[in-house]
Amino acid sequence: DIVFGHPAIGKTYSIEHGKYKDKIIDWDVEFNKKRDRWIENHSNTTKGTPEFKKARNEYLIYPEKHEDYVKFITSEWKRVKNKAKKEGKILFASPHTLLKMFPEDFTRIINVKSEDFVNRNVKRGGKEKESILWKEGIDNTLSNTEGIQMEYLDENQYFEDYLDKHLGVSKVVDENGEPLVVYHYTTEHFDTFDLKFFGKSDSGDLGEGFYVT
C-alpha cells in the first residue's frame, strides 16, 4: 500500500513508538534531509537562514516551476516506492504535492474533517488562520483526486487506530465469530504469512493476498 496520510493524525507517534512501526516507511524520514541538502546546493543558501527558508518555500509551494526539482522528487519517489515494495511495507506520505504528481501510485487516503484538523494543528503549536489555509490547499488537491479509496478519521481517532484496523491481527471466522482452521495450498514450510514472499510460487490468480482453504 501507498497511503496519503493527512497531517496531524499522529504519524510521528506511530512511526517512532507505535506497535506497527516496523511495517511502515515514512516518506518524510526518507526524503526530507536529502531535500534540504538539494535545496542548499541548488539555491546557494545554508539551512537555518532566512534565504534558505525563502528558497525552500519556493520549491515546496511551486515545484512545477522548477523542472530540476521535479526530476529530483520523481527520482526519490521511485527509489522510496521500490524500497517499500521490496521490504513489503506500507509507504506513508503526507505532502499533498505527491498526490498531485503521482495519483496513480496511491491506494488509500486518510482524511480528517476541517474542524478536527484545525483544532489538532493549533494544539501542536500552529496558528488558526494558517491551519485553515493549509487545510484548504489539501482539500483542493483531494477534490481533484479520483479513484482512490478515502477513509475519514473521527475526532478522537489517529493513525494508530487506522493501523489497528488494517494491520491488526485478523482471523478467519465462522458465522458465530469463532476462528476456523484453514490450510494453505503450498508445499512450502513456514510459520508466518508475509506478503513480501508473495509470488514466490505463482502470481496468484485473484491478486495479492493469502490463499487458504
Side-chain angles (χ1 to χ4, degrees), residues 31 50 55 57 63 71 75 82 84 101 108 120 158 184 186 201:
F31 177 70
N57 287 342
K71 288 181 178 178
S75 176
N82 288 339
M101 296 178 65
R108 199 179 299 265
R120 292 181 185 197
Y158 293 87
H184 62 85
T186 172
S201 299

Side-chain angles (χ1 to χ4, degrees), residues 145-206:
T145 303
E146 298 179 349
I148 306 174
Q149 184 175 350
M150 185 180 299
E151 184 169 335
Y152 277 86
L153 296 180
D154 293 334
E155 180 181 358
N156 296 317
Q157 288 184 315
Y158 293 87
F159 186 41
E160 196 74 2
D161 296 300
Y162 167 88
L163 294 172
D164 275 335
K165 178 179 178 180
H166 293 280
L167 293 182
V169 176
S170 61
K171 298 177 181 178
V172 181
V173 297
D174 62 18
E175 63 274 10
N176 297 316
E178 296 297 325
L180 287 172
V181 175
V182 295
Y183 303 90
H184 62 85
Y185 194 71
T186 172
T187 58
E188 301 293 333
H189 296 282
F190 55 90
D191 57 14
T192 303
F193 287 95
D194 194 325
L195 278 175
K196 71 181 180 181
F197 295 111
F198 178 78
K200 182 178 179 181
S201 299
D202 60 65
S203 58
D205 293 338
L206 299 178

Side-chain angles (χ1 to χ4, degrees), residues 58-67 69-70 97 100:
E58 172 68 19
Y59 283 116
L60 268 59
I61 298 173
Y62 308 108
E64 68 278 0
K65 294 183 179 180
H66 305 279
E67 184 178 352
Y69 185 62
V70 170
T97 299
K100 292 181 181 179

